[in-house]
Amino acid sequence: MKRIFLFIATIFIAYSCSDDVEFNTPAMQGNKDGVTWKSDYQAADIDFGGFLFEGGTGVETLQLITPTDGAGLFPLSASSAAVAIFQDADGTVYSTANEPDPDFTLYPLDPENNFIRVSEINNNTDPKLITGEFKFTAFSSDGFSAVNFIDGVFYRVPLVGGLLAIGDENQCLQASQALGTAQSNFNNTPADDPNYSEVCTAYRVALEEAIEACGDDSGELQQTIDGLGDCL
């Protein structure tokens, strides 16, 4: 009987989420630890070359970060370029960039159950409206606490800007991920390529943003900038 009740409850929550999204525009919501969670506000920004989606209730904040500003499926893991962050009412920050403590979980996370999917970008509106879905388990910095979201949806979220990633560490993570992408593009673009100047400039900007977000105690990043010259 208990199993039947849990199954019915799960179906009810799933249908409730679907109904809310259908009749409320915009929306950002999901099933958080078995309870329906829905933001009171939602917005999107382009940060370090990718999307930053944010929804909050006034005491809790959910952020979804992708490495590029286009449609696609972005896996979430401690080593992925995409990140999901949740800050609870007590100020505890959970992030998919954090590793779980080995004593806390015995099994690796399933990539199919940890992702952000941007499915639609409406370019015919001002601001643009973005729709997608998400599912993830995120961990606290010590790896001993977790938060789980399933059936996550962001629906027609407006791209209005003005958002900042939660926590300095996550800003550094974003900058480092953006730098990795820019460096790879630069390394694969020969000097005689027509796009070299643009790629080089993007690499310089990524280096400067990494210095601002993470610091540069060794001076290595600044040395790389100096070595780039004028990118001409």
Side-chain angles (χ1 to χ4, degrees):
M1 177 66 72
K2 188 178 292 184
R3 290 183 178 179
I4 294 175
F5 173 79
L6 290 174
F7 177 77
I8 294 173
T10 301
I11 294 297
F12 174 78
I13 290 173
Y15 274 97
S16 296
C17 289
S18 298
D19 290 344
D20 286 341
V21 171
E22 182 178 352
F23 294 106
N24 291 275
T25 304
M28 192 169 179
Q29 63 185 60
N31 182 334
K32 171 185 165 286
D33 293 332
V35 179
T36 299
W37 185 92
K38 183 177 180 180
S39 64
D40 295 325
Y41 73 89
Q42 48 280 312
D45 196 357
I46 294 180
D47 195 24
F48 293 108
F51 285 128
L52 167 59
F53 301 98
E54 179 176 303
T57 64
V59 294
E60 296 179 321
T61 305
L62 171 65
Q63 292 189 334
L64 306 172
I65 302 167
T66 65
T68 61
D69 59 349
L73 176 65
F74 306 97
L76 294 170
S77 71
S79 60
S80 68
V83 185
I85 306 167
F86 182 77
Q87 181 169 288
D88 68 14
D90 296 325
T92 301
V93 176
Y94 301 85
S95 173
T96 56
N98 295 331
E99 292 272 12
D101 189 277
D103 293 332
F104 182 72
T105 178
L106 298 176
Y107 304 101
L109 297 179
D110 182 0
E112 293 186 1
N113 290 319
N114 290 270
F115 64 84
I116 302 168
R117 178 183 284 112
V118 177
S119 56
E120 181 182 351
I121 304 171
N122 189 337
N123 294 311
N124 298 319
T125 59
D126 186 17
K128 297 179 181 179
L129 302 176
I130 309 171
T131 296
E133 57 187 312
F134 60 92
K135 181 188 294 187
F136 66 85
T137 298
F139 296 91
S140 56
S141 59
D142 62 10
F144 279 106
S145 300
V147 63
N148 174 256
F149 272 87
I150 62 172
D151 301 323
V153 175
F154 49 98
Y155 182 70
R156 295 175 68 82
V157 174
L159 182 63
V160 294
L163 303 177
L164 294 174
I166 296 172
D168 293 338
E169 291 183 2
N170 288 302
Q171 292 183 36
C172 177
L173 174 66
Q174 289 178 262
S176 297
Q177 291 164 344
L179 176 58
T181 299
Q183 183 178 28
S184 177
N185 292 338
F186 177 77
N187 290 339
N188 289 297
T189 304
D192 58 354
D193 189 291
N195 297 317
Y196 174 81
S197 179
E198 179 179 349
V199 172
C200 179
T201 300
Y203 183 31
R204 174 191 289 276
V205 170
L207 285 162
E208 292 171 345
E209 290 179 341
I211 291 175
E212 181 177 354
C214 308
D216 185 24
D217 292 339
S218 68
E220 182 178 349
L221 297 181
Q222 185 59 53
Q223 288 179 6
T224 303
I225 292 176
D226 297 340
L228 290 176
D230 296 328
C231 287
L232 299 177

